[in-house]
Amino acid sequence: MTQPLIVANWKMNGTVAEARQLVAAMKPGLAGVKGVGKVLCPPFTALATVSEMLEGTDIGIGAQDMYHEDSGAFTGQVSPGMLAEFCSYVILGHSERRSLFGETSQSVAWKVAAAKAAGLSPIMCVGETISERETGRAEAVVDGQVLTGLVGVSNIDGVSIAYEPVWAIGSGAAASPDDAQAMASRIHQVLSDRFGPPAAETPVLYGGSVTDENILDFMGQLDIDGALVGGASLKPDVFVALTRAAAASV
Ligand code: 13P
């Protein structure tokens, strides 16, 4: 396994002033954690400030979404090239975008291809709803999201997959480490079948109610290469502790 990757998804939280405070509180602790990739994904409006504050550190920056076109009459959208001025990562296909904003695996596929073309590393999110799990369709749903989301790329260098079961997000009820491992292993197999054996090295992150208290349970799983963290990434002490624990698990 390459070094684990811990990604903070701040979602729609934080004015520029608040982002400044969060980064100031986290930066010293995070900078001291070695052997693990660290990425902060603030709202678009805070990207410039956060990137300035993190200059010269080994803490990466990501956006939470983007549009797939380079420029033009797309009011309200942000292009890959605009993000590339500040970020090296972009979260794509988050379940909140799928359920609230009409994102589909087809639109995710356009975005993944456009992000790669712009030199950004996509973190493509997949995951089943509770009813899909309860009716035995979780695997088929996730397989479909993985394969359709990657339909526009011929290699997956630079891509990470975040397995985030929808029912575990923001619920305080994380998936069991065994269930998360089973799906992460399956995703590695699907990637390897589709893109060839080296694709089994693609980082697969787990997301959904990750905290400093359960991170080790996930990092101990063979196919889980890191975490995509929501709520806990807004608490500087907790996020630093979580990142430190992930580094110690290697
Ligand atoms: P929580 O960590 O708040 O459950 O959010 C997970 C998530 O959606 C990260 O993208």
Side-chain angles (χ1 to χ4, degrees), residues 16-29:
V16 171
E18 287 161 347
R20 205 175 265 132
Q21 287 175 355
L22 268 179
V23 174
M26 287 180 186
K27 185 172 145 179

Side-chain angles (χ1 to χ4, degrees), residues 9 11 91 94 96 125 164 168-171 207-210 228-232:
N9 177 8
K11 308 192 179 183
I91 297 170
H94 192 282
E96 287 148 17
C125 302
E164 298 204 305
I169 294 175
S171 66
S209 298
V210 173
L228 180 54
V229 186

Side-chain angles (χ1 to χ4, degrees), residues 23 38 47 85 94 107 110 113 119 139 157 180 204 210 215 225:
V23 174
K38 302 154 280 189
L47 282 172
E85 289 189 304
H94 192 282
S107 60
W110 291 325
E139 288 79 8
D157 295 349
V204 174
V210 173
I215 182 71
D225 307 309

Side-chain angles (χ1 to χ4, degrees), residues 169-188:
I169 294 175
S171 66
S176 77
D178 285 349
D179 284 349
Q181 159 61 22
M183 194 65 87
S185 165
R186 185 181 178 94
I187 291 169
H188 275 141

